[in-house]
Structures are given as C-alpha cells and as structure tokens.
Amino acid sequence: MNQPATGPAPVLALKDVSKSFGAVRALRDVSLQLFPGEAHALAGENGAGKSTLIKTLAGVHRPDAGEVVLDGEAVVFHGPADARDAGIAVIYQEPTLFPDLSIAENIFMGRQPRRALGRIDRRAVRDTTAALMKRLGVELDPDRPARGLSIADQQIVEIAKALSFDARVLIMDEPTAALTGSETARLFSVVRTLKAEGAAILFISHRLEEIFALCQRVTTLRDGRWISSEPLAGLTEDDLVRSMVGRDLGELYPKQSAEVGEIALSVRRLTREGVFRDISFEVRRGEIVALAGLVGAGRSEVAQAVFGVDRADAGEVVVDGRTLPAGSPTAAMDAGLALVPEDRRQRGLVMDMSIERNIALTGLDRLGRGGMVRRVLERGRAADWAVRLQLKYNRLADPVGVLSGGNQQKVVLAKWLATEPAVLIVDEPTRGIDVGTKAEVHRLLSSLAAEGLAVLMISSDLPEVLGMADRVLVMHEGRLTAEIPRAEATEESVMAAATGRNERAAA
Amino acid sequence: MTTLMDKPTTSTKDDGSARSLVDAVFRAREISIAGALALLVLGTWIANPRFLDDQGVKDLLLNASILVLLAVGQSVVVVTRNIDLSVGSVVGLSAFACGKFVAGTDHGVLTVMLLGIALGVVCGLVSGALVSFGKVPALVVTLGMLYIIQGLDYWWAQGEQISANDVPDPVLGLGSGSVLGIPYLPLIALALLAATAYYLRGYRSGRELYAIGSNPEAARLAGVPIRRRILGAYAFSGAVAGFAGALWLARFGTVVADNAHGWELTVVSAVVVGGVAITGGTGTVWGAALGALLLTTIGSALVVLKVDSFWQGAITGALLLAAITVDRIVSLRMTAALRKRSARHGNGA
C-alpha cells in the first residue's frame, strides 16, 4: 500500500490480517498503518469490519492470519492487557465502566500506583484522577461511583483512562456518537493535543465532516475487505461515501413510493419520567417513518412504551382508532402492533430453538386448538415465511443460532409479520448485518409499506434513515426535537436536531 | 433494620458530594446491622440477665466465630458475582479428616490447621477451575461439589465418630483456651477478617475482584486476569472452609461425618444480610461478618428466650428477604439520586 516515501515509521500496523467468526469472514487480508502524530480515519459501513479491526489492535481478538506489527516488529497480544502495556488505548463505542466502583478506580483498574508492599496508593489514584479531570476541563468527583453517569461523562472517563497511561496509540470507536456539539469540540481539542505530542490516532465516525476536521489519512473497509488507504487532502465527502458503499445508494435503499393511507398509529403526549417526555407523532398506512437520534436519546424506550413493554407514565397510544391499555404487550399485539427489538440475540429470538419454533412463537394459539400446537401448521407457517423473505437456511429444524446475523433478523421479521400487523415497529433493523442482506431487508420493508403496512423504523444509521424514510422524527435527550419530511432530510438537518443544535440556535 | 437506613446522613466533611452519599449508604448498612444486633442483645439481656454473663458472652463469640470465618471466605467469592455452596461440606470433610489424622497421636496444632487448610484449598481449586476455566455456572458446580464432598465424607466415615478423648489436648486447647479472657477462636476470626478487609481494599488483585463482579466485560477489556482471580477467590474460600473445619474439631472435639451440614445456606444468608450484593461488585467483609454475628446471635437469643428453634429459620429467611429488598430499593434510589446530581452538574456547567 502507499506508504509515504519519507516520514516516520508506523507505530502500529496490521499486515494482511484475516479474522473469521464461524462462517462469517469479518476481516479479509486487511492492512493498516498508524503513524505517530497523525490521525487516521477508519471508514466503512456498519458491518464492514471496523469493530473487529479495532478489537484486533486492542488484543481482544487474535488474527487467524496475518500479523500485528508494533514498532516494526510482529507481536502477538494475548489479551487487552498486552495491548495496553504496548501503549494502545481504546475507547469503545459503548463505554465499559464498573458501575459500582469510583471514577478514579475505573480509570486505574489493574494498574493503580502502588506504595511499599504493593499497597495501592489511594491518594495518588485520587489526585491523578482529579488532575486528569482538570486537564479535560470537566468537574467530576474522582470518588463518585460510575453508576448514573451520562453517556458523555462515561466517555470522558474512558478518555481520562487513555490519557492516564500516556497512550502512544489512541483508538476511538465512534466517540462522538452520543456527544453534543460542545462536548465534541472539547474531545477534539484533547485529541489534537495528544496528536501534537506524537500519539497516533485511529478514529471512527459516521459523521464525515468530523473525519475531515480531525484526520489526515483514511482507510476504507467494505464487507471485511481493505478498499483503500489514502491521504484525506484532495478527497471529497462524495469520494469517501463511494469508496465506503461501493455501489449506488439507490441500490442499497430501494425505496418504493407507496400510497399513504389513513392513520394507523397515533402516539399522544407519551411520557415516561426521566426517560422521555411529551412524545406525539402519527404513522399512516403505507408510510415509513424513521425515528432518528443519538444513542441514549430514548428512541428504543419510546418504542417499548408504545408496545407496552414499559409502562408509560402519561399519554396514550391509539392503533386504528382504538386506545391501547397501558403496559400490555398482549393488547398491543391484538390491536395489530408488532415490535422487532434492537437486540435480536437477547430479545428477538430464542437462540437454541429451531427456526420454525421461533417463527411460531407469536401465534401459538392460532397454530392449534386447546393449547396444543400442531407441528404441521407450525412448519407450514415457517416454510411459507422462509420463502417470502428468501431466508437462507439448511433445515427449518436447525437452531436459529447457526444462521448469519442477517438471516436471524429475517426470522425475527417473519415471526412478527406472521401476526399480520397493521403497524410494524423495527428497532435498528440492519445493525450488524452484511450489506447484501441489508438491501434485502430494506426492499422487504419498502414492499411491506407499499402493501399498506405502517412502519416505524428506529435507526442510528443515517444513510438508512435518509434512504428509507418518508418522514424523519428526531429525538434528543428524551424529547422530540424535529419532524423532517423526506425532501428536506439531510445529514446536516437530522444531526443538528439529534444533537440539540437546532434548539440552541433557536434559543 | 430498614427503618434505620432510609435517611443516609450527608453531614460528613465532603458535604453534598456524591461520595458521601454512597459512603453513607454503605456505612448505614453496617451501622444498621450493628444497631439491630445491639437491640437484640439488649432485649434478650433484659429478659434474661444470664445471657450476658461471662460465659454467655464467651458462648456468643465462640458460636459466631466459625460462621464469621466462612462468611469472610464466601464474601470474596460473592463479590466476583459467583457463589460457593460447597463450604458446608468442606468444613465437614476437613473436620473429620483432621480428627482422623490426630486421633490417638500427638500431632501439633499447626500441622492439623495446615492439613485442614490444604484440604480446603484442593476443594476450592476444583470448584474454581470448573467455574473459571470450564465456564460452568458457579451454582451448579458448587452444588455438585457439595454432594461429592459430602458423599466422600460419608463413605470415608462409615458412621464412625471421633470423640474428644482421641484428640490431643493442645488441639482442644485452641478451641477452649483464651487470652485475657477472650477465647482464641473469635480472635482468629477477627484477625482473618481484618486482613481480608485490608487486602480487598488496598491491593490491586483485591480491587479486581470487585471489578469482575461489577462488570465482567469491562474487566476483560481492562486486562483483568479474570479466570485467575476467580480461581484465587475459590481457593481462598476453600482454604477458609478447610481451616474452619480444623477449628471445628478443636472447638467440639467430637466430630461425625455430617458436621456443618446445611451451613452453606446460612453462610450465604449472612453474607447477603451483611450487604454483599449477590450480583457482585459491592459490599464489605465487615458487613458480612456482622451479618454472621447477627444470625448466630438470633439463634442464641431464641434459645435463651425459650422460643422454639424452628423460628430461627423463619427469622433468618425474613431477614434475608428484607436485606435483598432494601438492597434493591437503595440501589434504585441511589442510581436515581446520582443521575439527578449529574443532571444538575451538567446544567450548571
């Protein structure tokens, strides 16, 4: 690859690294070089292999083939501790803190400064943490437990952790996803200082303008393959998107126009104290409405309250003119609501159960009589949906756990579509799904809407929101901050509402 | 005890900081147990003054010692979000093995204690290896170990009993002797308790046990050697149980195969009542020890008050449920309180 002719040697590199999980090839012959004093962006869609790459650098995964090169020498990290000792700090997308321990302990776990006889120097731990917080410009009490910290503050603790051992390589996986504008600016100034001090930065973000603002070089991955590594100077956002996606956006987001019918779902002033407030919106038949926002904005919580899994404190949910009783998923299902949850492994599927049984779960009383389930009907229903959703499977009696992520998602969809719902709520329908299957899921959602289904789609994937939705609802910190029609929805307008910037501008 | 805890005082020197809130909550737990204990002792003493004469106090302390020891060992395991149900059987096996070993000989005290500890360590290592390396749930592993060790013990004993006459005097002396009027056993328990508390609070590996219990995934990413730590925790719990078995022999002299039968549940109850969360990550061995002291004192008080002994089980159960309920409520309230503090802090900045 195009190593600069002159200049410093890379601190950390990957050379022809491959990594598979079962049948899924997460990385294939990927190479990457990180140089001191340079911020390197890692671009690629969800599922392109970015997280696997990071975890390989962090010592969490060991490559199946290829090598990790540190200061020009091949190394093997036996665990995260090895990578940390080599000066590599990783800030994961989801902060990983110990809720019961103090902030100071969180930062220094496993490498606390010690006094004589190996005893932890508690004062040093505390004072160093206080100094780090000062350097980061935040007021967090080092002795306070991590429980109850906001996502932004948790992120700060993670950054303080990286600062505390003078990391030579700082890897950040979407650190700004849950931050407001000012918090992002604060983070960037810290990162720039580190960079000026000679640290190598690897930065992942879905916000292209951040990549251009912070980084000098970009490596693109697609479907686990290395696509390019090049200087950012001279590239445009369009160039970057093209190398990430590698195909026409239209192909990935096959949005059919549908006839918009009457109101199917109406949510009025729904409130759950401390989680979200005063949420009102409508979804009509034939419409795909996206619910966008940052991680932690309360979108999934709204969906759960609408479906009745969580009880709302105030407000009402009306489906096809009928008001639902609060806190009853059964009533919601009877009224024609279906919820495809975000975490399909935990909430969407029974992983050890067969494909046919999983699909049958939502309609057991319709598949038999007197509490007995008839296997023939069960299998028939599963086979029918497997064909309609183009499920790739071996036998219907196989456990769901052996399917790929995309096909598991199809099973969850089948399970809910089999209830013949009037309103389908899908939470992150394509998270962790390969690009090909993603397009299939999109095509499916689009054709369902065309058949008159009302679809509410929660998604953190901005291109997906823009590509699929007729209308975009945006949430910020538990409140609905914008409703944007398809024609006016852009990355900028959605992100502005999601980070609360539009409000601040208005205020 | 619930009434004593609902208002954590925030009037410590760090006034208003989140730390004092949290500290106060945990101190409140220990203080409230100590308070309940004091009330219980006082009430029983008023009803029957002999409860607190010299012999009465000695009996209270002696009865509590072994349970306190076991609670300390159990806490170290529970803090990592695991459990060791095999301790009762280990005590039984160790007591019988030590008795068999010393019967009719003149082996020294130290040898007997070391034998008990070694036996316990072996049992603990087996459980620990299955839990940490075998990734089998702790509940199942230690339940299995409970029956295996018990079976081994029964098979070996064949109904045989070791009587105090066979046990050398120095060994029995450890169980009955005292220094400055305080029996050895409670002193030993206190020493182990203090050392364990010091270790858990002041050493990296001790803090890592809490980290594992608080968030195993985060512990893994922080490079904490999880499997080694869990193995260590079980080895410690086993060692303590084995030691407790040897002390059992010293205290009672007469041992049969099913000594300490069913104690594992009492130990777990003591630990949970003492504020060590069964879900890991929080609690102190001091609290667990107080919990053990409270449970044994209840037992003794009921005997003195001539209440049917079956009430002891019911009271233990009620305390356990109360403790878990309080834990849950306090944890929810505290999370909410901390969140509000953050919000205020965020708005202020």
Side-chain angles (χ1 to χ4, degrees), chain B residues 31-43 290 293-295 297-298:
Chain B
I31 289 169
S32 61
I33 297 175
L37 193 61
L39 280 178
L40 177 69
V41 170
L42 197 72
L290 277 171
L293 195 58
L294 180 66
L295 292 193
T297 309
I298 289 173

Side-chain angles (χ1 to χ4, degrees), chain B residues 203-228:
Chain B
Y203 285 83
R204 280 187 191 174
S205 47
R207 301 313 298 165
E208 284 172 357
L209 295 174
Y210 281 92
I212 293 166
S214 190
N215 185 349
E217 180 60 16
R220 192 172 72 95
L221 293 175
V224 173
I226 297 180
R227 288 184 295 192
R228 220 162 59 211

Side-chain angles (χ1 to χ4, degrees), chain A residues 12-52:
Chain A
L12 183 66
L14 290 179
K15 210 173 147 214
D16 303 326
V17 163
S18 297
K19 177 78 191 173
S20 298
F21 300 100
V24 182
R25 302 182 68 183
L27 291 177
R28 283 181 251 188
D29 297 324
V30 171
S31 297
L32 173 82
Q33 291 176 312
L34 301 179
F35 297 95
E38 188 178 84
H40 195 124
L42 186 60
E45 292 189 289
N46 290 345
K50 292 172 297 183
S51 296
T52 309

Side-chain angles (χ1 to χ4, degrees), chain A residues 60 80-81 84 92 96-101 105 109-114 116-120 122 126 138-141 143-145 147-150 153, chain B residues 14 17-19 22 198 201-204 207-208 210-215 217-224 280-282 331 334-335 338-339 341-342 345:
Chain A
V60 176
R84 188 184 63 199
Y92 293 98
T96 49
L97 299 179
F98 307 109
D100 303 301
L101 304 185
E105 286 212 274
M109 182 52 64
R111 44 191 192 82
Q112 295 96 334
R114 290 187 288 190
L117 301 174
R119 186 167 167 72
I120 294 171
R122 302 181 75 86
R126 188 171 191 277
V138 291
E139 285 179 39
L140 284 177
D141 180 357
D143 290 323
R144 187 209 135 112
R147 189 182 296 282
L149 284 178
S150 71
D153 283 343
Chain B
D14 256 359
S17 82
R19 179 206 191 185
V22 176
Y198 187 77
R201 195 172 152 81
Y203 285 83
R204 280 187 191 174
R207 301 313 298 165
E208 284 172 357
Y210 281 92
I212 293 166
S214 190
N215 185 349
E217 180 60 16
R220 192 172 72 95
L221 293 175
V224 173
T282 59
S331 144
M334 196 158 76
T335 307
L338 287 171
R339 195 171 286 140
R341 271 164 210 270
S342 300
H345 157 74

